[in-house]
Amino acid sequence: MDEQTLEKMKKKAQKVNWVEVVVNRFRQGQIVIRVDFAKRILSWRDSNRWYNDFTRNIRDDQVQSIRHELLPLLAEARPPEGIACDPNLDYSWCLSLGLSEDKEPSLFSSGADNKNPDWLQFIKSIENTADQLVDPIGGH
């Protein structure tokens, strides 16, 4: 990524008010993680392990870390029309981004691979912030 593109992506990342991550793991349920950058809140919902559900405040440096790791995934983001996560795959992920305080996402990205280095860096920043693993049974 050249310097000019990187600067554009950084500006775009600063406009993202919230991000919601959905990770589907075949026969292991779904994890939904929502980070509200403006309110500095991270919420975690696990359909298979409800006792792992939590909501917590996050620090400014954690917000900036997640925003920074979001940059490469923003390059692939597009409007959400007609895009959905496939829960029938062994592993799939969806990323919804809100550029305003609206409930509906403005941008969307997805993948069916837990080996994508950009995805792994992004999800690791969330795991470090949450002090919780997305896929404790293998995965990545």
Side-chain angles (χ1 to χ4, degrees):
M1 194 179 305
D2 66 32
E3 192 65 34
Q4 189 176 11
T5 304
L6 182 61
E7 283 306 311
K8 283 183 186 178
M9 298 313 289
K10 283 182 181 178
K11 285 180 183 176
K12 197 173 194 179
Q14 291 304 317
K15 292 179 183 177
V16 175
N17 282 339
W18 58 266
V19 60
E20 186 170 273
V21 180
V22 178
V23 178
N24 292 302
R25 300 154 308 159
F26 187 66
R27 296 186 183 220
Q28 294 179 29
Q30 179 182 76
I31 295 176
V32 179
I33 305 159
R34 185 176 177 97
V35 180
D36 186 319
F37 295 124
K39 296 177 183 172
R40 293 187 4 233
I41 294 174
L42 181 142
S43 62
W44 184 290
R45 303 289 173 258
D46 188 333
S47 69
N48 201 33
R49 296 177 192 92
W50 57 266
Y51 49 84
N52 280 342
D53 294 355
F54 62 87
T55 300
R56 66 173 57 132
N57 287 345
I58 57 177
R59 299 184 316 266
D60 285 332
D61 62 315
Q62 294 169 320
V63 166
Q64 292 310 316
S65 173
I66 294 170
R67 277 190 198 272
H68 177 75
E69 298 303 339
L70 183 61
L71 289 175
L73 296 173
L74 276 175
E76 300 170 14
R78 55 205 176 277
E81 290 84 28
I83 301 172
C85 258
D86 187 349
N88 298 314
L89 297 172
D90 286 340
Y91 186 96
S92 65
W93 55 271
C94 298
L95 189 66
S96 302
L97 304 162
L99 298 179
S100 65
E101 299 211 17
D102 296 338
K103 296 282 185 196
E104 296 301 315
S106 304
L107 296 169
F108 189 86
S109 187
S110 64
D113 163 0
N114 62 348
K115 305 292 187 240
N116 177 325
D118 295 334
W119 166 252
L120 290 174
Q121 282 299 112
F122 174 71
I123 206 65
K124 185 170 276 318
S125 72
I126 288 182
E127 289 175 336
N128 290 340
T129 299
D131 197 25
Q132 185 81 292
L133 294 176
V134 167
D135 193 1
I137 307 175
H140 65 269

